[in-house]
Amino acid sequence: MKVFQVNGETLALALYSDVTNAKELQDSMQAGTLEPEVAFLNASLITESLKRCGISESSSYVLAARFNASPDEMKGVEKLINGKQIDLEELGVRADQAQILKETQRCINAKLLTVTGDSRWFLSY
């Protein structure tokens, strides 16, 4: 687990491989019963994960994220996940770089097409 300072807040990240209970985690997230509350992302496709609100039932490579987490809360997160915690540096090696680039470009295109004074986004594909 690594903790980062972001605008006066902390962001704790933990990366897991060989996760076997993604469906259970996904169900708990969708039901709002996850304790402690934490965001789970498919670490291979982070941008896709953000659009789809988390992990799929077949995700085996998971990034857990929580703002302002206490050490006890992050221990609770560790207990939720049936998988092996690995070094966060693995994220750069295992992530689907081509998909991340594609999604990043899509987001840039969306921002370029924003109508001034309008909060809606117009996407180009």
Side-chain angles (χ1 to χ4, degrees), residues 41-58:
L41 305 171
N42 177 339
S44 296
L45 299 167
I46 293 173
T47 50
E48 187 67 21
S49 224
L50 289 170
K51 288 193 307 188
R52 297 179 192 264
C53 299
I55 58 177
S56 70
E57 61 185 55
S58 63

Side-chain angles (χ1 to χ4, degrees), residues 18-69:
D18 307 318
V19 175
T20 59
N21 65 330
K23 178 160 180 34
E24 176 186 320
L25 296 171
Q26 180 190 41
D27 291 346
S28 294
M29 281 178 45
Q30 291 175 344
T33 59
L34 203 56
E35 186 60 43
E37 272 189 35
V38 63
F40 293 118
L41 305 171
N42 177 339
S44 296
L45 299 167
I46 293 173
T47 50
E48 187 67 21
S49 224
L50 289 170
K51 288 193 307 188
R52 297 179 192 264
C53 299
I55 58 177
S56 70
E57 61 185 55
S58 63
S59 296
S60 63
Y61 184 51
V62 172
L63 179 67
R66 182 173 166 98
F67 279 100
N68 301 316

